[in-house]
Amino acid sequence: EVQLVESGGGLVQPGGSLRLSCSASGLTFSSYWMHWVRQLPGKGLVWVSRINSDGSGTSYADSVKGRYTISRDNAKNTLYLQMNSLRAEDTAVYYCACGTSTWSNYWGQGTLVTVSS
Amino acid sequence: QSALTQPPSASGSPGQSVTISCTGTSSDVGGYNYVSWYQQHPGKAPKLMIYDVNKRPSGVPDRFSGSKSGNTASLTVSGLQAEDEADYYCSSFTGSHNLVFGGGTKLTVL
């Protein structure tokens, strides 16, 4: 059974940093593109970032470019999202998802990030 | 990158068909056959229902189908069932090598 488990969410002050992790099991992690998608409370899905299977290629939504960094450790079957200079509008549930470069067929349950003073 | 445009709500009675639209531009929906659709029940993670405009992952009922014409993609749910009541989101690859989601459509089964 494929499982993606996010961790690292929590409460952080504006301007602060947080690193999210996504631990994968039940699949050949190194074969898949990975994505981060966020969902503001009661709102829709917003794509955040993606990374290719070997970690050599990344892309970001304009709203997080220069502040967030996606990375992966295929030896540890783990995806990361380093979030810096956090703003109130970054408050959301963050999902990791895996699949191809254009769609994701496995999703985690999400981790809540709250940016507030 | 602006979100793709979806109607906020749609509805139908059990057994009926309903179609949800997703409108973008020639830089996303119209420019690539990389439209996907996700179903999300309250408090749950999204589930992939359609990818590459009209392909269904294994396990997704054939009541769900996708299509595209110009800059508008559509998801059709035939033979509506109570469990189809959920939020539906479209997504597309974009010319800037990113992805973009629609604002979501709440499907109500009357």
Side-chain angles (χ1 to χ4, degrees), chain A residues 45 102-105 107, chain B residues 36-40 46-50 75 87-91 101:
Chain A
L45 301 173
T102 56
W103 49 262
S104 298
N105 56 336
W107 293 67
Chain B
S36 51
W37 289 90
Y38 297 88
Q39 176 192 67
Q40 187 180 35
K47 175 185 177 183
L48 180 68
M49 305 302 284
I50 295 288
L75 172 72
D87 294 326
Y88 291 83
Y89 296 91
C90 62
S91 172
F101 281 95

Side-chain angles (χ1 to χ4, degrees), chain B residues 84-101:
Chain B
D84 299 333
E85 185 163 295
D87 294 326
Y88 291 83
Y89 296 91
C90 62
S91 172
S92 176
F93 179 75
T94 78
S96 51
H97 297 279
N98 291 344
L99 299 178
V100 61
F101 281 95

Side-chain angles (χ1 to χ4, degrees), chain A residues 19-101:
Chain A
R19 188 175 85 153
L20 304 183
S21 299
C22 171
S23 178
S25 60
L27 76 169
T28 305
F29 181 73
S30 59
S31 297
Y32 291 92
W33 284 70
M34 296 296 297
H35 301 256
W36 287 101
V37 175
R38 67 186 181 185
Q39 187 166 33
L40 282 65
K43 301 295 185 182
L45 301 173
V46 178
W47 178 81
V48 173
S49 181
R50 66 177 186 171
I51 187 169
N52 66 358
S53 58
D54 67 6
S56 63
T58 61
S59 55
Y60 300 90
D62 288 345
S63 57
V64 306
K65 197 175 296 182
R67 300 188 299 124
Y68 288 16
T69 303
I70 189 172
S71 62
R72 65 191 298 162
D73 185 337
N74 285 345
K76 295 183 178 180
N77 289 350
T78 303
L79 173 73
Y80 302 102
L81 186 67
Q82 177 67 44
M83 305 185 295
N84 299 329
S85 303
L86 283 163
R87 308 164 179 166
E89 55 265 36
D90 295 319
T91 293
V93 172
Y94 284 74
Y95 292 100
C96 68
C98 82
T100 70
S101 58

Side-chain angles (χ1 to χ4, degrees), chain B residues 54-78:
Chain B
N54 56 16
K55 297 180 173 65
R56 270 181 292 106
S58 64
V60 172
D62 59 6
R63 303 185 293 102
F64 291 85
S65 62
S67 63
K68 190 185 85 167
S69 177
N71 296 337
T72 298
S74 298
L75 172 72
T76 297
V77 185
S78 305

Side-chain angles (χ1 to χ4, degrees), chain A residues 44, chain B residues 5-11 18-22 37-40 75 84-90 102-108:
Chain B
T5 301
Q6 297 181 234
S9 63
S11 62
V18 64
T19 297
I20 299 170
S21 62
C22 169
W37 289 90
Y38 297 88
Q39 176 192 67
Q40 187 180 35
L75 172 72
D84 299 333
E85 185 163 295
D87 294 326
Y88 291 83
Y89 296 91
C90 62
T105 298
K106 181 176 182 61
L107 174 61
T108 300

